[in-house]
Amino acid sequence: MADKEQMDSAGDWLVQLKCAEKDQKDWIDRGKKIVKRYRDERKATGMANEKKYNILWSNVRTMFPAIYSRKPEPQVERRYKDADPVARCSSEILERVLKYEIDHYGDFDSAIRNSLLDRLLPGRGVAWVRFEEQVPNAAQMQTTDDAQQMVEPRKYECTPVDYIYWEDFRCSPARSWEEVTWVARRVYMGMDEGVARFGDEFKQVPLSSVPVGLEDLQKENSSSAELEKMKKAKVWEIWNKTTLEAIWVAEGFPNVLDRKEDPLQLENFFPCPKPLFSTLTTDTIIPVPDYAEYQDQANEMDDLTQRIGMLVKAVKMVGVYDQSQTGVQRMLNEGVDNTLIPVDNWAGLSEKGGIKGCVEFLPLDQVIQTLNELYSAREQCKQVIYEITGLSDIIRGSSVASETATAQQIKSNYASLRLKETIADVARFASDILRIKSELICNFYSSQAIIQISGVMGTDDAPNAEAAVQLLKSEPARNYRIEVAADSMVELDEQAEKQSRVEFLQAAGGFLKQAVEAAQNVPELAPLMGEMLMFGVRGFKAGRPIEAAFEKTVKALSQPKPQQPNPEMMKLQQDAQLKQQQIQADQQAEMAKAQADIAIERAKMQMQQQFEMQAMQANMAARQREIEIEAEAQRQKFMMEMQIEQMRLQLEQFKAVKQAETSITVAEINAQTTLTAQQEEAADKAAEDTD
C-alpha cells in the first residue's frame, strides 16, 4: 500500500495536471479571447472607441435557442416494450424520481445551459454529478392519535449536477474520449470548508487563489482577518479509471488529502458524461472553437463597420455662404415657419442668382455611394459567415419578401441538417447525465425514499411497486429490462406530446369501437381483441400512464359474464362436468402412471449414470495410483542406480589410493634394502681391511 501511495503521490498528480494544462494552453488562450470577444470587452484591448459588429454574440444567441430551448424531460422505457408490468412500473417509478429531481432542483437545467454556452464559445462544456446524503442525528418525536412514538426522520438524498467551468477541467491526453484514463476538476475551497471536508490536515494547505481586488484591499487594511478568509485553496478531484479510485490533492501541498475506491460504483466509473465538444479531429480531444472557423470574416466585418462609422460621421449638412447675406444664415438657425426674412440688398442677391448663388453645400454623392458599397460588402461578408456556420435567415426569423415558399423551405431544411448533429450531441449529453443520476438513485437511495418521491402508491401500479423497486436495486436486471434517455429539446417539437396524445386517443377509440362490435358478434374473440388493444397501447408513450388501467379493464372484460341459471342446462352441465371430471381423473391417473414410469426410468438412468461415473472415477483413481507407483518405482530405481554408481566411484578412488600407497611402500622397502646391503657391504670391506 505504501508503494502504491508513493507511486500515486500528490506530486505525481500535480505534475500530470500541469502537463495536461500545458497541452491545452493554446486552446485556453484562444478560448479566453473568444469569451472577451463575445462579451465585447474593448477596454482590455484598447479599442474602446472602435466600431464593431459582434457577429459572434448574434450567432451564439441565435444557435442557443435553436439547440436548447427548454429543459429536457426524462424518459424511462421498457427496453423491449413487452407485457412486463414490473418493468413498466420500474420505468414509471424511476422516471417520476428523475422528473422530481430536475424539476425541484435547478442545477440540472443550469448545468446544461452553462455547458452548452461553453460549447458554443471555447468549444467544450462539462458537467459533474455527485451524490449527497444527510443522515439524521437523532430520532424525532412524532405525536399520533393513539400514542406518542419515536419516528426516525427520512435522510436527505440528492444527486446534484455541477457545472464545471471550462478552465477547471482536465483529463489525460488522448485521441478520443474512450481513451481517457482519468478526469479531474478544480474546486476552490476556503479554510473552513476544507477542514470540514478533509480534517485538520487541510490547515497546512496554502490558500493560493486570491479574488480580484483583494490585494488592493489588503494594502489598505492589511490586518483584516475577514479579507484573509476570502482566499481559497485550489483542490483537484481526480478520478482514475485505471485503479478505480478517486483522489483529492491541493496545489502547493505535498500529501494526498483523501483517497476513495470507486465511490459511486458507476458503470462507466467517471462521474461526468462525455463533454460537449465543438470541432474535433481523430488525433486529439482538444476542440477547435466554432468562432475560429470564421474569425477572419468576423474581423473583416469589424473593419467594414469601422469604415461605415467614419463615413456616417462625414455625412452631414454643411456648406459655405456669402457673409454679406445674413438672412441666409437666419434661414438655417432660426425657426422660420411661415415667416419672411427681409433682405437689405435685394438687387445684389438677384444678381448672384438668388439663394443658390449665395450658398454652396458639401458634395455627399461620393460619400453616400461609398457608404452603400460598404453596406453591401458587409452583407456579403455576413452571408459568407452564414454559409460557414449554417445559420440561414430562416433560423434568425427574417426573410426577403421576394423569396418563394420553396426557397424558404430549402433554407430551413439546410439549417436543420447543420444543427441536427449539435442538437443530437446535447440530447446525448443530457441523457448521459440522466443515466448517471438514475444509477446513483438505484444504488444509494433507500427503497422507502424511491417509493415516496415517485408517489406510485397512489396509482394503479401500487401492487407492483415493491417488485419494481427490487428490480431497480438489482443492477444487471434493470439494465436488461429498462433504459433511460432524454426526450427531444427543440422548441419546434413542443407540440409533439399533444399530437401524440391525440393520435393515441384516435387510434384507441377507433380500435375499441371495432373490438366491441367483433366481441359482441363472436365472444371468443374478446381475449384476442384485448391483447391487440394492449399491443397498440404499449406502442404509444402517451398511453403509458394509463396502461395499467387498460390492463385492468381488459382483464375484467375478458371474464365471462354470469348468465341466468337454467335447470335443464344446469343438469346437462353437471352431467357433462361429472363426465369431464371422470375423464380428467382417468387422464390424471394415466398421466400419473406415465409420470411414475418416467420417474422410475429416469431414476434408473440416473443410477446407471452414477454407477458408470463411480466406475470411471475408480478406474481413473486406480490408473492414477498405478502411474504414481510406477513413477515411484522408477524414482527408486534411479536412486539405487545413482547410489551404486556413487559407491563404484568411491571404490575406484579407494583402489587408486591404496595402489598409490602400496607403490610408495615398495619403493621405500627397496630403498631401505639397498641401503642396508650397501651398509653391510661397507662393513664387510672394512673388516677385510682390518684383517
Side-chain angles (χ1 to χ4, degrees), residues 175-186:
R175 294 170 297 183
S176 64
W177 179 253
E178 290 71 22
E179 295 181 357
V180 173
T181 58
W182 59 266
V183 296
R185 66 166 178 169
R186 179 167 51 193

Side-chain angles (χ1 to χ4, degrees), residues 328-348:
V328 176
Q329 186 178 8
R330 291 177 59 190
M331 290 174 61
L332 298 176
N333 295 337
E334 300 178 5
V336 293
D337 296 342
N338 299 326
T339 303
L340 297 177
I341 298 175
V343 179
D344 297 335
N345 188 4
W346 178 260

